[in-house]
Amino acid sequence: MPIAIAQVIPQFSMMKTLIPKKAPQLLLQKIEGTSFGYAVNCAVPHSFRVLNNAQYGILKAINEQDDLAGLSGKLSMQPDTLEAFLSIMAKSEIVRFDDYFKLPETPASAQSLNFWIHTTDACNLGCSYCYISTLNTSKGMSDTVKAQLLSKLVETVEKRKIGTVKFRLAGGEPLSQFKTWKTFIPEAIVSLGKVGCKLDVAFITNLTILNDDILEFSKEYNITYGVSMDGVEGVHNMTRKFRSGAGSFSVVDTNLRKLLAHNIPVSVNTVVSNQNLDGLPDLTRYLIALDVPFRYSIVKGEKINAELLESNLVESYSIMQEAIETGWQFSKRHQFCDLKPNELGFQTCASGFSGGAIYVDGSFKYCHVQFGDNSASTNSIFNLDLDLVDMIKQSGNHQDEKSEDCKQCKFRFVCTSGCPVYREDGKDPQCSLYHKFIPLYYQLQGRERLKSLKDCGMI
């Protein structure tokens, strides 16, 4: 979940006796194959900086013992030049001249709310790995439940002074329920607008259903799409089949291109498992060619071949590196798992703080993966004594259930220990993989910045 953090510029007069200190969460590396480097404070959002060789050398030379005068002598650098550079680095807390480095903190209250809405248990695909235990056990959300949902939203927004609410309409296949949500969404936008709140809506879909009515409605009401895709052609068809047994890739590919042609915001999410990891490089080429944002997530709740996973990820990131040199916007187009390398976070998702999951019958859970799990804490939007924020709080907040290793890790605000539902011994099962790929992510971001600087004639 993105965070806001105060960027405090040290208020001091630069003096030769000041001792610069590097941020405890600083990652300082050379950009491979270049004369440049990068620095990023992994506890300060958007602190990533590309450095020339001299600037890299300055940060590398800081040992928390030498003052400015000493560093200036060791580096054979004019004191004014050194001071000016370190003053710039202090703005994003790459360095400071005291020990008061800021850390992200949980806000006192939520300014926006985010809900996963389980619109239906019905689905037209029969994916072998589907985690939804209630699949095809009921139909869509009734008008009664939707009316109560809107009433509870308005009540909560007014009481809590919420400025934005986001719905992720999921299932099952939510577009099978489009006609009923076509009525609800405009009503909800108007009702929430009257109390000063904006409603954002996204369909989380297999994208096998799409027609002109859906396209025009999506453009009119700024609907966005998250599309599930397992691979290209046969790889996708192996796991995401219609109930007849036929593969769905050709339909999804056609509909994805329609959304793009109509300039409707869409992103692709791929859950990487043993069944599709060999197809990851081909999928990477396909998604880059479409210039669509995409996210690779690693399957949860089951084992994956770690060696093959790493080798296919390395190959995929090599493809991304090549694409960066042609102008592809890496940092705007790709996300790996729940990592937040630039925005950072105080928790992995909205659950337990500013969000939750609402089932077709109006029951309220901490997370949508708990639908059908009677052991998980449950509330209901029909509870007249609680508003939605109360329900979020009562669903429990498991985000702080982290291992001691996680609490001390340099990357703890980048990965936030992964999904709390699937942590093992208080950490994400892919922890060791993240330690390899977070620096690689910054490497590619560095190459992207260098390409931009070169194109502008700045280097």
Side-chain angles (χ1 to χ4, degrees):
M1 182 173 180
I3 58 170
I5 187 170
Q7 293 189 352
V8 180
I9 303 173
Q11 300 298 313
F12 52 76
S13 174
M14 285 296 210
M15 298 170 59
K16 64 181 182 180
T17 56
L18 291 173
I19 299 175
K21 299 181 179 181
K22 291 185 281 193
Q25 285 78 33
L26 179 67
L27 184 63
L28 177 65
Q29 291 192 351
K30 297 290 287 187
I31 300 174
E32 295 178 5
T34 77
S35 60
F36 293 85
Y38 72 81
V40 58
N41 183 344
C42 296
V44 173
H46 305 289
S47 63
F48 182 88
R49 300 291 182 268
V50 167
L51 309 168
N52 62 30
N53 197 48
Q55 293 166 339
Y56 178 84
I58 293 171
L59 294 183
K60 199 73 175 175
I62 293 174
N63 58 14
E64 302 195 6
Q65 295 178 358
D66 291 326
D67 59 18
L68 287 176
L71 276 176
S72 177
K74 283 186 175 181
L75 296 167
S76 300
M77 179 176 291
Q78 289 293 325
D80 289 349
T81 303
L82 180 60
E83 290 179 6
F85 171 68
L86 292 179
S87 179
I88 293 171
M89 292 295 100
K91 292 179 180 179
S92 51
E93 297 208 8
I94 299 294
V95 299
R96 282 187 70 100
F97 291 83
D98 55 32
D99 293 316
Y100 300 110
F101 287 94
K102 304 297 186 295
L103 294 176
E105 295 181 353
T106 304
S109 62
Q111 303 302 308
S112 62
L113 298 178
N114 193 321
F115 298 105
W116 182 283
I117 309 295
H118 197 80
T119 64
T120 180
D121 278 318
C123 187
N124 58 341
L125 296 187
C127 305
S128 58
Y129 55 77
C130 184
Y131 66 87
I132 301 172
S133 62
T134 57
L135 195 68
N136 295 314
T137 60
S138 66
K139 296 183 179 179
M141 185 176 284
S142 69
D143 290 340
T144 300
V145 174
K146 287 202 285 287
Q148 178 61 19
L149 173 59
L150 181 53
S151 174
K152 190 62 74 172
L153 275 170
V154 172
E155 171 197 341
T156 303
V157 164
E158 283 191 293
K159 178 181 176 181
R160 305 286 182 167
K161 309 301 180 187
I162 300 297
T164 304
V165 170
K166 180 164 186 177
F167 275 4
R168 287 178 290 171
L169 302 180
E173 175 44 50
L175 288 175
S176 68
Q177 308 295 307
F178 171 71
K179 289 183 178 179
T180 63
W181 289 94
K182 180 184 177 182
T183 301
F184 176 87
I185 291 170
E187 292 177 354
I189 290 174
V190 171
S191 295
L192 290 174
K194 289 179 179 178
V195 291
C197 181
K198 180 176 181 286
L199 176 65
D200 293 329
V201 178
F203 280 106
I204 310 301
T205 172
N206 61 37
L207 205 60
T208 56
I209 301 171
L210 192 68
N211 55 41
D212 290 342
D213 191 17
I214 295 174
L215 288 169
E216 291 306 313
F217 180 84
S218 297
K219 288 190 286 187
E220 182 177 359
Y221 291 98
N222 300 312
I223 308 299
T224 61
Y225 286 78
V227 178
S228 300
M229 182 174 283
D230 285 359
V232 178
E233 299 288 353
V235 176
H236 179 91
N237 290 337
M238 180 172 58
T239 54
R240 303 188 70 81
K241 301 177 182 179
F242 289 104
R243 295 192 171 278
S244 65
S248 62
F249 178 78
S250 62
V251 177
V252 176
D253 174 64
T254 297
N255 289 338
L256 179 57
R257 293 175 189 274
K258 285 181 181 178
L259 288 177
L260 293 171
H262 284 80
N263 295 314
I264 296 171
V266 57
S267 61
V268 169
N269 183 58
T270 299
V271 178
V272 182
S273 68
N274 286 329
Q275 295 172 294
N276 68 342
L277 56 82
D278 283 337
L280 210 57
D282 286 340
L283 179 60
T284 301
R285 294 186 184 93
Y286 167 82
L287 295 171
I288 289 173
L290 285 179
D291 197 27
V292 61
F294 62 96
R295 172 185 173 186
Y296 289 159
S297 303
I298 301 171
V299 66
K300 295 178 174 64
E302 65 181 67
K303 296 294 183 182
I304 189 168
N305 187 311
E307 184 177 345
L308 286 177
L309 172 63
E310 184 171 342
S311 65
N312 279 287
L313 282 172
V314 167
E315 183 177 350
S316 297
Y317 280 105
S318 294
I319 294 167
M320 294 183 210
Q321 180 174 321
E322 293 173 2
I324 287 170
E325 298 307 316
T326 68
W328 179 65
Q329 296 180 302
F330 166 73
S331 59
K332 293 182 178 180
R333 292 290 184 266
H334 176 66
Q335 181 182 353
F336 184 43
C337 297
D338 292 311
L339 302 183
K340 305 166 185 66
N342 294 306
E343 294 80 7
L344 306 182
F346 62 88
Q347 63 180 57
T348 306
C349 67
S351 294
F353 175 72
S354 62
I358 299 171
Y359 188 57
V360 289
D361 63 358
S363 57
F364 191 102
K365 295 280 190 180
Y366 173 80
C367 178
H368 60 277
V369 300
Q370 296 172 331
F371 293 145
D373 179 3
N374 294 327
S375 65
S377 175
T378 304
N379 220 308
S380 172
I381 62 173
F382 290 94
N383 186 331
L384 301 181
D385 296 327
L386 303 176
D387 68 12
L388 291 171
V389 171
D390 292 326
M391 293 181 200
I392 290 170
K393 292 177 179 178
Q394 288 195 9
S395 69
N397 192 339
H398 309 289
Q399 300 283 352
D400 292 333
E401 298 171 2
K402 302 175 182 179
S403 70
E404 289 304 314
D405 285 347
C406 285
K407 292 176 182 178
Q408 302 301 319
C409 179
K410 175 184 294 188
F411 300 133
R412 64 187 182 274
F413 301 113
V414 178
C415 88
T416 59
S417 301
C419 175
V421 176
Y422 290 104
R423 287 175 191 158
E424 296 178 2
D425 298 323
K427 64 173 62 177
D428 191 297
Q430 302 302 330
C431 175
S432 60
L433 188 73
Y434 294 161
H435 276 262
K436 295 178 181 178
F437 280 89
I438 290 173
L440 176 57
Y441 184 100
Y442 287 127
Q443 283 277 336
L444 294 185
Q445 189 171 334
R447 290 183 176 277
E448 182 181 36
R449 292 278 182 90
L450 289 176
K451 174 69 166 60
S452 178
L453 291 171
K454 289 175 183 177
D455 289 347
C456 293
M458 298 180 68
I459 58 173

